[in-house]
């Protein structure tokens, strides 16, 4: 008990006398005596060499996010190793619903721009107001949010595939060919399509927000 009390007093004094320093905390070799019989242990469970996140602690955050190449075309070789998230999406094909909405646009732009070795992004877009899904996609790309992506990833069109469909319809309104394509190639699904107009009749909201989500889930399970 005396040993523990002494350790607690020392720790308390350290906190009150000096401002907290993360780097010192991570590398501190101070050990606490848990009790008289137990061996000592380090405050931090990893040494810098063992900690998988340590190398990212030492990097410039702008470099990690790729922000230093703002507005310039990127040429990244296939053998370049990225961050854990970038490596997770290496060669991965993504299916996105709601890609024309404000969240879907952000997600699409971020994936294409920040994941150099991404496979393909399949966007589910419905016909609307006399425009085909492809026409709506072409119009979507005129949004300012895509300016930087188009500058830094000149081959972005090779990464994006438009799939015609509607979450409010049976089978998501997919053709047999497109459905087989998605089942064969997609690894990750982001479901962002929804009807956010709160004045819609209940049956319309139910068809999109509840049954639509169920249909996407059923497709993902297949």
């Amino acid at each position: 008990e005396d040993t523990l009390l002494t350790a607690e007093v020392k720790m308390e004094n350290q906190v009150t006398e000096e401002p907290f320093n993360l780097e010192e905390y991570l590398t501190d070799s101070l050990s606490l005596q848990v009790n008289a019989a137990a061996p000592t242990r380090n405050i931090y469970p990893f040494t810098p060499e063992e900690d998988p996140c340590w190398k990212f602690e030492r990097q410039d955050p702008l470099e990690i996010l790729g922000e230093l190449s703002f507005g310039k075309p990127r040429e990244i070789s296939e053998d370049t190793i990225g961050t854990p998230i970038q490596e997770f999406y290496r060669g991965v094909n993504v299916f996105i619903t709601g890609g024309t909405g404000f969240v879907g646009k952000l997600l699409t732009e971020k994936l294409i721009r920040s994941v150099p070795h991404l496979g393909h992004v399949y966007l589910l877009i419905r016909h609307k107001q006399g425009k085909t899904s492809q026409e709506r996609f072409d119009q979507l790309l005129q949004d300012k949010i895509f300016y930087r992506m188009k500058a830094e990833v000149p081959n972005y069109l090779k990464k994006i595939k438009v799939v015609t469909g509607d979450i409010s319809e049976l089978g998501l309104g997919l053709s047999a060919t497109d459905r087989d394509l998605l089942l064969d190639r997609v690894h990750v699904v982001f479901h962002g399509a929804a009807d956010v107009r709160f004045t819609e009749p209940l049956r319309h909201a139910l068809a999109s927000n509840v049954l639509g989500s169920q249909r996407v889930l059923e497709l993902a399970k297949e």
Side-chain angles (χ1 to χ4, degrees):
E1 292 181 359
D2 292 340
T3 303
L4 284 174
L5 180 60
T6 302
E8 290 174 359
V9 171
K10 288 182 178 179
M11 291 293 291
E12 183 177 358
N13 290 338
Q14 286 180 351
V15 173
T16 55
E17 292 176 2
E18 299 179 3
F20 179 75
N21 186 300
L22 177 61
E23 184 171 342
E24 290 181 1
Y25 177 73
L26 295 178
T27 57
D28 198 344
S29 60
L30 176 65
S31 296
L32 295 178
Q33 187 74 26
V34 179
N35 55 55
T40 59
R41 64 179 176 85
N42 291 327
I43 296 176
Y44 188 67
F46 298 108
T47 64
E49 293 74 19
E50 296 172 338
D51 188 353
C53 296
W54 180 261
K55 64 178 180 178
F56 296 113
E57 291 283 347
R58 292 298 189 182
Q59 280 185 274
D60 183 339
L62 292 179
E63 182 181 348
I64 296 174
L65 296 175
E67 301 296 328
L68 296 181
S69 62
F70 185 88
K72 300 178 182 178
R74 297 183 185 179
E75 295 182 3
I76 302 176
S77 62
E78 285 295 324
D79 57 352
T80 300
I81 303 300
T83 66
I85 292 178
Q86 289 173 325
E87 289 305 305
F88 173 83
Y89 284 101
R90 179 185 287 268
V92 166
N93 297 320
V94 178
F95 176 50
I96 299 176
T97 70
T100 58
F102 70 95
V103 174
K105 288 187 290 188
L106 285 170
L107 176 61
T108 301
E109 191 275 343
K110 185 64 175 176
L111 284 172
I112 297 295
R113 178 171 58 83
S114 298
V115 185
H117 305 307
L118 182 72
H120 292 92
V121 172
Y122 294 89
L123 290 180
L124 183 73
I125 302 178
R126 60 175 173 162
H127 299 317
K128 186 178 180 181
Q129 297 177 347
K131 294 182 179 179
T132 66
S133 55
Q134 185 62 49
E135 289 173 338
R136 293 188 65 205
F137 172 69
D138 294 338
Q139 183 179 14
L140 176 70
L141 290 179
Q142 303 309 311
D143 195 300
K144 293 180 180 179
I145 193 175
F146 294 108
Y147 285 1
R148 182 181 173 190
M149 179 198 75
K150 290 189 284 188
E152 297 183 12
V153 189
N155 67 336
Y156 67 93
L157 283 177
K158 296 181 180 179
K159 296 277 188 178
I160 306 175
K161 308 293 183 183
V162 176
V163 178
T164 301
D166 188 335
I167 62 168
S168 65
E169 298 180 6
L170 291 175
L172 300 177
L174 295 169
S175 67
T177 301
D178 285 341
R179 189 176 186 85
D180 290 340
L181 176 70
L182 295 177
L183 291 176
D184 182 57
R185 299 187 181 181
V186 169
H187 305 99
V188 175
V189 176
F190 287 98
H191 176 44
D195 192 337
V196 295
R197 295 170 296 182
F198 299 109
T199 57
E200 285 291 287
L202 183 59
R203 67 177 183 277
H204 292 167
L206 180 69
S208 296
N209 299 346
V210 178
L211 298 181
S213 298
Q214 183 180 28
R215 290 164 186 146
V216 173
L217 182 59
E218 290 172 351
L219 179 69
K221 286 182 177 180
E222 291 184 40

